[in-house]
Amino acid sequence: MSEEQIRNLEKQFEERIARDEKIEPKDWMPEKYRQTHIRQMSQHAHSEIVGMLPEGNWITRAPSLRRKVALLAKVQDEAGHGLYLYSATETLGISREEMYEQLHTGRAKYSSIFNYPTITWADIGAIGWLVDGAAIINQVPLCSTSFGPYARAMVRVCKEESFHQRQGYEIMIKLSNGTPEQKEMAQDALNRWWWPSLMMLGPTDAESVHTEQSMKWKLKRKSNDELRQQFIDQTVPQADLIGLTIPDPDLKWNEERGSYDFGEIDWDEFWQVVKGHGPMNKERLKARVSAWERGEWVRDAAMAYAEKKAERKEKEAV
Amino acid sequence: MKDNLYQYILGIADNSLILGQRMGELCGHGPSLETDIACTNISLDLFGQVRSYYHYAAKIAGDGRTEDDIAMLRKEREYVNVLLVEQPNTDFANTMARHFLFDVYHFLFLTELKKSKDMTLAAIATKCIKEVSYHQRFSSDWIRRLGDGTEESQMRMQAAINDLWTYTDELFHQTEADKAMVSEGIGVDVTKLKAAYYEKVNTILEESTLSVPESKYFQRGGKMGIHTEHMGFLLAELQYMQRTYPNMEW
């Protein structure tokens, strides 16, 4: 293809996006668009899968059967989200095995939030309320992103995520209205998950390297800082309502802006976790790699069995 | 009659509780995303069943006990699940073999329980049997895949079946509560399920190129509350929150 032909295709492509047309897997797309989507979508899928671990950690210890059932259903939804997202990413010409390989070798990232430990039951509530809350703010705009398979996956994902968020908040309500011990447990969880949740919305606009391009492709509609503000404005009243205190002495309603002012995020901590040195990075990755390695003989067996079965069918047909 | 019925319900429900707990341990650690989803799903089904049974048991007890009290606040000697379901997830072959050996029984059992004179139990059985037919399909398929897969998988599956075989006979033992409920037309006479059980299990093992263990030595005790050493650890996790924070709502 000549350079001029490529420029022409690129122009048509940009026009399609400007017209809000969906880009589908068989359509021509710039290589950078493909690569950016593989990166973002696979990391999104990895986050769902790694995210099963901190919550899965409490399945066997959930305090009541009702909570246990809800947690199991939630983790199952997450595995399902991972599955949709891997499938959607595969339409861009990468296999699930390659994506796993990238995760296992640390070349692909997953959401930094899952590198924090779940140390009490209240953490399960805080994750639903805050982490899923922040995820929804990130993900709702993706329901109308330009790449069709991603947009459609997100429509399904977002429905379930809002349900999880309500469930998480309900756990927090119950704890806050419970005994002093339960309330303390809830406050402690909020203290530990608040800042990491704010970090989920990504680095500040000044530091965000992908923002401009992502806006152009409608992968993003608002900047990280705008989304963070939206999350804070929405979450603070929810904390107030159940009598919990946001662990930020600088948090204050700003009448003029009609928004909350808030304190400085510890970006050193953020980068430390992103670079692989958070409290649980090693354990999380180790759990995934070990599940994959220990499962190899099972996957091999399934493959061998499927081949034998196909052979037998062929023989019968002859 | 009331005591026997209460005890009889525990005898059914404890199996699902303990097996559900075992399956819940696997979340995020299975050989593939699809098996993780399936195992979580099965665990969820089992806990759903457990809630129906204990809810009913709580009503029969009628002394303010809740489903959670029954599930989480008994002592080890008071759990009456069979030894089979408390066995650990040593590897995926063990997990699937344990499930398969229980599912075949569970399906036969629920088929009979549907005919119970106790309308609540019959209704619960009718709901559960749909789920259990799915569990049975899933575990049987894995017996076939691993049995008739590679040399390694066959060896592992055969070892798992051999190890767990010793716990199958207990499924057909009757407690006093069982006998009392059978005579009332409420309970299932499990002794009558034995032939069909081994026939079904043996057929699938043979289809899967596995041999049927010849052992005539069996273990029992779970139904009388005499468990293996695995049980205490399992309960320590299951009960941790209820024990540490008594009388609270979650």
Side-chain angles (χ1 to χ4, degrees):
Chain A
M1 226 183 290
S2 75
E3 272 183 41
E4 198 193 323
Q5 279 171 313
I6 292 180
R7 266 199 300 278
N8 247 332
L9 283 168
E10 275 177 2
K11 189 166 164 271
Q12 284 169 19
F13 177 86
E14 299 298 344
E15 283 165 4
R16 288 187 63 190
I17 289 189
R19 282 196 302 270
D20 265 337
E21 276 176 44
K22 291 280 177 265
I23 307 299
E24 296 300 335
K26 284 184 177 164
D27 296 342
W28 185 88
M29 61 185 81
E31 194 47 28
K32 201 176 162 206
Y33 181 89
R34 182 187 304 276
Q35 292 307 332
T36 300
H37 276 79
I38 288 178
R39 182 178 54 80
Q40 177 164 339
M41 291 166 70
S42 68
Q43 295 187 0
H44 194 162
H46 297 329
S47 303
E48 300 284 354
I49 302 314
V50 177
M52 291 166 73
L53 297 168
E55 294 183 275
N57 184 37
W58 277 87
I59 288 176
T60 57
R61 290 175 294 167
S64 70
L65 290 175
R66 179 168 170 260
R67 292 294 177 205
K68 197 190 278 280
V69 165
L71 181 56
L72 276 162
K74 179 184 178 185
V75 178
Q76 198 190 328
D77 284 347
E78 269 152 23
H81 297 170
L83 207 50
Y84 308 150
L85 286 161
Y86 282 125
S87 303
T89 317
E90 282 184 319
T91 67
L92 289 166
I94 184 171
S95 71
R96 216 206 286 184
E97 281 67 26
E98 285 175 82
M99 290 185 258
Y100 281 156
E101 169 71 20
Q102 293 177 353
L103 171 68
H104 296 163
T105 55
R107 270 189 298 140
K109 301 264 180 285
Y110 54 87
S111 179
S112 61
I113 195 83
F114 299 121
N115 292 312
Y116 290 87
T118 48
I119 55 184
T120 72
W121 168 251
D123 291 22
I124 300 304
I127 288 181
W129 174 34
L130 302 173
V131 174
D132 292 325
I136 291 166
I137 290 212
N138 259 333
Q139 292 173 8
V140 164
L142 288 171
C143 296
S144 56
T145 189
S146 60
F147 186 52
Y150 198 20
R152 288 188 290 273
M154 292 320 297
V155 171
R156 297 192 63 174
V157 169
C158 283
K159 276 185 202 153
E160 290 177 343
E161 292 289 0
S162 349
F163 182 67
H164 299 164
Q165 203 234 352
R166 278 206 299 277
Q167 232 170 40
Y169 189 53
E170 196 203 291
I171 291 177
M172 297 305 272
I173 294 174
K174 201 83 189 173
L175 293 174
S176 306
N177 292 330
T179 63
E181 233 177 335
Q182 283 174 305
K183 189 164 182 182
E184 196 188 313
M185 191 192 279
Q187 182 63 56
D188 171 60
L190 172 57
N191 293 350
R192 285 179 289 105
W193 290 91
W194 174 251
W195 293 104
S197 301
L198 296 188
M199 294 176 198
M200 276 178 77
L201 285 317
T204 57
D205 294 349
E207 298 246 1
S208 177
V209 284
H210 303 296
T211 296
E212 199 192 328
Q213 187 65 77
S214 296
M215 290 266 195
K216 229 166 88 193
W217 289 335
K218 301 186 173 168
L219 264 168
K220 252 194 186 151
R221 303 275 168 154
K222 288 182 186 169
S223 75
N224 292 352
D225 288 334
E226 284 172 312
L227 292 173
R228 196 166 6 249
Q229 186 70 59
Q230 187 186 332
F231 174 72
I232 293 169
D233 290 346
Q234 155 190 322
T235 311
V236 173
Q238 293 170 352
D240 290 344
L241 198 65
I242 57 177
L244 295 179
T245 311
I246 303 281
D248 178 359
D250 297 325
L251 187 82
K252 217 174 110 216
W253 177 250
N254 183 321
E255 200 64 58
E256 232 167 87
R257 289 201 303 124
S259 242
Y260 283 93
D261 292 333
F262 55 97
E264 187 64 30
I265 289 172
D266 182 350
W267 292 111
D268 289 342
E269 177 182 321
F270 173 77
W271 290 113
Q272 180 176 337
V273 177
V274 169
K275 285 175 184 159
H277 307 287
M280 295 298 283
N281 294 59
K282 286 201 178 65
E283 282 83 351
R284 298 287 185 245
L285 208 52
K286 207 169 113 192
R288 289 311 312 163
V289 171
S290 139
W292 185 248
E293 286 173 353
R294 275 186 296 115
E296 192 179 358
W297 69 270
V298 177
R299 296 189 303 274
D300 288 348
M303 196 62 90
Y305 177 76
E307 278 164 15
K308 282 186 209 174
K309 214 173 149 186
E311 253 169 55
R312 264 176 245 152
K313 226 182 202 169
E314 223 167 85
K315 269 187 199 155
E316 273 168 30
V318 168
Chain B
M1 143 81 192
K2 217 178 94 174
D3 275 356
N4 278 331
L5 181 57
Y6 178 79
Q7 204 56 31
Y8 185 69
I9 297 169
L10 296 191
I12 307 171
D14 285 358
N15 288 333
S16 296
L17 174 76
I18 302 303
L19 191 56
Q21 183 77 357
R22 279 291 185 225
M23 292 306 269
E25 292 171 3
L26 291 170
C27 174
H29 304 283
S32 71
L33 188 47
E34 286 80 357
T35 49
D36 267 359
I37 294 177
C39 290
T40 326
N41 195 355
I42 288 171
S43 178
L44 180 58
D45 286 343
L46 291 169
F47 281 115
Q49 299 175 6
V50 156
R51 292 189 67 193
S52 308
Y53 287 121
Y54 290 153
H55 187 78
Y56 184 37
K59 213 169 105 188
I60 289 165
D63 56 3
R65 251 177 281 184
T66 67
E67 57 173 29
D68 290 321
D69 297 338
I70 298 174
M72 302 189 190
L73 290 176
R74 276 178 288 152
K75 298 189 181 72
E76 180 173 346
R77 290 280 280 106
E78 293 164 346
Y79 284 83
V80 288
N81 55 280
V82 292
L83 298 177
L84 176 65
V85 295
E86 70 199 47
Q87 299 310 306
N89 296 308
T90 323
D91 70 1
F92 196 68
N94 260 281
T95 298
M96 284 303 110
R98 182 189 63 213
H99 231 286
F100 166 68
L101 292 173
F102 184 73
D103 290 342
V104 173
Y105 162 81
H106 202 184
F107 187 82
L108 292 171
F109 177 83
L110 291 173
T111 307
E112 292 305 309
L113 191 66
K114 271 167 71 178
K115 303 174 198 158
S116 172
K117 273 189 193 164
D118 183 305
M119 297 316 283
T120 308
L121 283 181
I124 297 174
T126 305
K127 174 187 161 281
C128 295
I129 199 164
K130 288 181 205 142
E131 297 167 347
V132 173
S133 72
Y134 159 71
H135 302 172
Q136 184 174 239
R137 201 167 68 223
F138 178 76
S139 62
S140 307
D141 281 350
W142 275 107
I143 298 296
R144 293 190 185 98
R145 280 192 201 105
L146 298 181
D148 193 12
T150 62
E151 218 174 290
E152 182 182 8
S153 71
Q154 190 194 36
M155 184 198 74
R156 285 179 185 256
M157 185 45 90
Q158 187 68 60
I161 292 285
N162 293 351
D163 285 348
L164 293 168
W165 198 256
T166 186
Y167 300 113
T168 53
D169 188 65
E170 187 185 19
L171 295 165
F172 310 102
H173 276 265
Q174 285 186 315
T175 61
E176 290 311 309
D178 288 350
K179 286 179 194 160
M181 286 301 102
V182 171
S183 72
E184 304 242 6
I186 290 173
V188 175
D189 184 350
V190 287
T191 58
K192 289 185 180 154
L193 304 178
K194 195 167 173 174
Y197 175 83
Y198 282 110
E199 199 190 310
K200 172 99 197 202
V201 166
N202 293 358
T203 305
I204 291 176
L205 290 183
E206 279 158 18
E207 266 176 46
S208 315
T209 72
L210 296 163
S211 36
V212 176
E214 278 169 17
S215 169
K216 297 273 182 288
Y217 300 101
F218 295 102
Q219 301 296 326
R220 65 174 100 151
K223 286 185 173 180
M224 293 169 291
I226 303 169
H227 293 277
T228 62
E229 289 183 355
H230 301 296
M231 188 70 171
F233 293 96
L234 188 149
L235 291 180
E237 277 189 39
L238 175 73
Q239 299 185 338
Y240 163 65
M241 290 295 289
Q242 287 279 338
R243 296 280 181 206
T244 313
Y245 305 95
N247 305 316
M248 297 184 200
E249 278 185 47
W250 300 95

